[in-house]
């Protein structure tokens, strides 16, 4: 019997039991939908975070934060996690006046930017926005990051007044619809909760909006410009926050080759006696990929449970179908149909069910992923665009068909082993 005849017979058998077939296919659809939706969202998240990283930390720069990650296997370079996690416990500080000494460590160091970072608020009349405040040297910062460019107003890169402030695009236009809450030359109040005193008090001063950045698309900053932050001169930040230490250094290198990165990382680590973590962009990228891959496996494992439940349902339906069609199988075998053909007919039904369920599941999963990300994007500055790759599609299709076939093997085998005489006697 030809393969086309086998699948034709299998398809006709499914059409005769439409409701049962629809319910069986629905089980596969639910499982594949969950898998495709979760994989599409997490892959979109990974790409989005990678874009944020690439814009926030250039390939030829290093991020230096206080606190050692105790990763001796890295030669002191500190390429592991350690986004400041150990800084608070170590109590180690990086001082603002150390930047010039670090610049002189190697001719491969082009510049060193000290960054002071605090959470605060910016106010104008009835507008009150929560922001991250960065104290930076406007000149060095604009040389390192091309995105630190004003769309409205200007950025005073040389000898800025102490009361100047530069706003990220979403601080001024949170909905990105052209409605500006702040414009250049506005006098705004910058507030910061000083928790070093008891009781904590809000420190504030009046600043003048000098410029508003163009949209960078960056919300999660790795030291570079972001849409949800405000920037003030480094000297003003040191005075306002009453500190002579910085929270982060951005070290720009002459080039981005591995030899230079390793050499400079080791020099910086040695200079600080191993009390800092030096993070190259590749390390951050690797961390993000590992974390998201782990999340993907976990979520797909959960979603696969529903597909296994669908597989059990397919086995149950096939066994019921076998019982109902026992006499039919007996007649076919009495007319000369081989056991192998009976087996292929039942497996053909499972392939059709798995294929239809997988195709519908892929489509529904893609729709669901877009619906979820759209809902999550409402009022959220960080948007995720789902990504459905050919690998995910082929994997989902194979998984759907594979589960259907695996759970149909036993009923199909039982059907193929029926003896014609016994089958014809069945009532």
């Amino acid at each position: 019997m030809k393969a086309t005849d086998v699948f034709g017979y299998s398809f006709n058998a499914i059409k005769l039991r439409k409701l049962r077939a629809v319910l069986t296919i629905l089980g596969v659809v639910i499982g594949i939908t969950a898998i495709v939706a979760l994989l599409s969202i997490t892959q979109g998240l990974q790409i989005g975070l990678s874009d944020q990283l690439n814009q926030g930390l250039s390939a030829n720069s290093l991020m230096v934060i206080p606190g050692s990650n105790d990763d001796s296997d890295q030669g002191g370079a500190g390429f592991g996690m350690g986004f400041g996690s150990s800084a608070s416990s170590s109590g180690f500080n990086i001082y603002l006046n150390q930047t010039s000494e670090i610049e002189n460590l190697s001719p491969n160091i082009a510049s060193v930017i000290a960054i002071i970072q605090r959470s605060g608020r910016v106010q104008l009349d009835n507008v009150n926005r929560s922001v991250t405040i960065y104290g930076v040297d406007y000149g060095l910062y604009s040389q390192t990051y091309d995105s630190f460019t004003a769309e409205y107003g200007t950025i005073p890169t040389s000898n800025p007044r102490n009361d100047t402030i530069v706003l990220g695009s979403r601080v001024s236009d949170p909905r990105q619809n052209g409605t500006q809450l702040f414009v250049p030359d506005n006098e705004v109040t910058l507030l910061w909760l000083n928790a070093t005193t008891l009781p904590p008090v809000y420190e504030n001063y009046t600043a003048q909006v000098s410029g508003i950045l163009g949209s960078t698309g960056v919300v999660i900053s790795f030291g570079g410009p972001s849409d949800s932050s405000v920037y003030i001169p480094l000297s003003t930040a040191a005075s306002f926050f009453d500190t002579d230490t910085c929270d982060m250094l951005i070290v720009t290198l002459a080039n981005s080759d591995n030899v230079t990165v390793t050499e400079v990382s080791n020099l910086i680590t040695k200079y600080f006696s191993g009390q800092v973590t030096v993070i190259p962009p590749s390390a951050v990228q690797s961390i993000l990929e590992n974390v998201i891959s782990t999340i993907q496996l976990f979520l797909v494992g959960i979603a696969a449970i529903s597909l296994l439940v669908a597989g059990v349902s397919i086995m149950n339906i096939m066994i019921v179908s076998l019982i109902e069609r026992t006499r039919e199988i007996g007649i076919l075998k009495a007319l000369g149909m081989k056991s192998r053909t009976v087996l292929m007919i039942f497996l053909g039904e499972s392939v059709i069910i798995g294929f239809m369920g997988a195709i519908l599941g892929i489509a529904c999963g893609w729709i669901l992923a877009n619906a979820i990300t759209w809902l999550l994007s409402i009022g959220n500055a960080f948007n995720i665009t789902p990504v459905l790759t050919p690998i995910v599609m082929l994997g989902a299709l194979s998984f759907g068909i594979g589960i259907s076939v695996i759970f149909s093997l036993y009923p199909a085998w039982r059907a193929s082993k029926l003896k014609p005489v016994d089958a014809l006697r069945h009532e």
Side-chain angles (χ1 to χ4, degrees):
M1 197 172 186
K2 297 180 180 179
T4 53
D5 295 331
V6 170
F7 278 104
Y9 193 95
S10 300
F11 188 72
N12 288 329
I14 291 174
K15 286 200 300 182
L16 290 174
R17 301 163 181 83
K18 293 184 180 66
L19 180 60
R20 183 184 300 167
V22 168
L23 293 176
T24 307
I25 292 171
L26 183 60
V28 179
V29 170
I30 292 172
I32 296 297
T33 297
I35 291 174
V36 169
L38 291 173
L39 284 176
S40 299
I41 292 172
T42 51
Q43 289 198 358
L45 174 63
Q46 181 173 345
I47 292 174
L49 290 175
S50 296
D51 291 341
Q52 300 271 317
L53 170 63
N54 292 334
Q55 294 184 60
L57 192 60
S58 58
N60 65 328
S61 64
L62 300 172
M63 184 164 58
V64 182
I65 56 178
S68 171
N69 65 354
D70 296 323
D71 195 350
S72 58
D73 293 336
Q74 297 290 351
F79 288 1
M81 267 308 266
F83 284 71
S85 58
S86 56
S88 58
S89 60
S90 68
F92 186 81
N93 294 315
I94 300 176
Y95 291 91
L96 297 173
N97 58 12
Q98 291 178 307
T99 55
S100 58
E101 298 176 17
I102 297 172
E103 282 185 6
N104 295 327
L105 290 177
S106 170
N108 288 319
I109 297 178
S111 65
V112 179
I113 303 174
I115 298 178
I116 300 175
Q117 176 183 340
R118 298 288 188 278
S119 296
R121 307 187 74 83
V122 59
Q123 292 181 347
L124 174 64
D125 298 329
N126 295 326
V127 179
N128 191 326
R129 300 278 293 157
S130 296
V131 295
T132 302
I133 306 170
Y134 287 95
V136 298
D137 182 308
Y138 287 160
L140 287 176
Y141 204 66
S142 61
Q143 291 174 18
T144 304
Y145 298 103
D146 294 336
S147 57
F148 191 66
T149 306
E151 182 175 4
Y152 305 101
T154 59
I155 299 176
T157 55
S158 60
N159 299 320
R161 287 167 37 190
N162 290 335
D163 63 347
T164 58
I165 185 173
V166 177
L167 307 180
S169 65
R170 282 189 177 271
V171 177
S172 177
D173 183 8
R175 297 186 181 276
Q176 297 289 276
N177 60 2
T179 302
Q180 299 289 332
L181 302 179
F182 305 94
V183 295
D185 297 328
N186 275 157
E187 289 193 346
V188 299
T189 301
L190 198 64
L191 297 97
W192 164 64
L193 181 61
N194 186 354
T196 61
T197 63
L198 292 177
V201 295
Y202 273 102
E203 307 285 353
N204 67 85
Y205 78 96
T206 301
Q208 186 176 51
V209 177
S210 175
I212 298 172
L213 301 179
S215 178
T216 63
V218 176
V219 179
I220 303 172
S221 176
F222 294 94
S226 79
D227 292 341
S228 56
S229 303
V230 302
Y231 301 85
I232 61 177
L234 185 63
S235 58
T236 303
S239 174
F240 184 42
F241 302 130
D242 189 23
T243 182
D244 58 354
T245 65
C246 62
D247 299 280
M248 182 191 308
L249 294 177
I250 300 297
V251 180
T252 305
L253 308 178
N255 58 72
S256 59
D257 63 75
N258 291 332
V259 174
T260 301
V261 170
T262 302
E263 175 202 347
V264 174
S265 297
N266 287 332
L267 287 172
I268 294 174
T269 304
K270 184 179 180 180
Y271 173 81
F272 286 107
S273 301
Q275 295 302 308
V276 296
T277 299
V278 184
I279 307 173
S282 58
V284 184
Q285 183 77 37
S286 177
I287 292 166
L288 290 177
E289 290 178 355
N290 290 337
V291 170
I292 293 177
S293 296
T294 302
I295 293 173
Q296 278 184 335
L297 288 174
F298 177 72
L299 293 177
V300 169
I302 294 175
I305 294 174
S306 62
L307 198 56
L308 292 176
V309 173
V312 174
S313 174
I314 291 172
M315 178 183 287
N316 182 51
I317 293 298
M318 286 295 183
I319 291 175
V320 172
S321 178
L322 168 62
I323 295 172
E324 291 180 347
R325 296 161 63 186
T326 300
R327 286 181 61 83
E328 175 190 340
I329 294 169
I331 293 172
L332 291 174
K333 298 192 77 172
L335 292 174
M337 181 176 283
K338 297 179 179 180
S339 297
R340 182 177 66 253
T341 304
V342 175
L343 177 69
M344 295 305 297
I345 287 173
F346 272 81
L347 291 181
E349 291 182 28
S350 68
V351 169
I352 293 171
I353 289 172
F355 180 80
M356 294 178 66
I359 293 296
L360 290 173
I362 291 170
C364 292
W366 178 241
I367 294 171
L368 180 62
N370 281 276
I372 291 174
T373 52
W374 178 78
L375 290 173
L376 292 176
S377 68
I378 298 176
N380 194 340
F382 182 60
N383 297 326
I384 301 173
T385 302
V387 176
L388 182 58
T389 63
I391 294 177
V392 171
M393 294 176 63
L394 291 174
L397 186 63
S398 302
F399 199 35
I401 295 175
I403 288 292
S404 299
V405 171
I406 288 171
F407 281 89
S408 298
L409 283 174
Y410 175 68
W413 176 79
R414 278 189 55 182
S416 68
K417 293 301 179 181
L418 284 175
K419 294 180 179 180
V421 175
D422 295 334
L424 290 171
R425 289 175 179 172
H426 181 78
E427 295 295 334

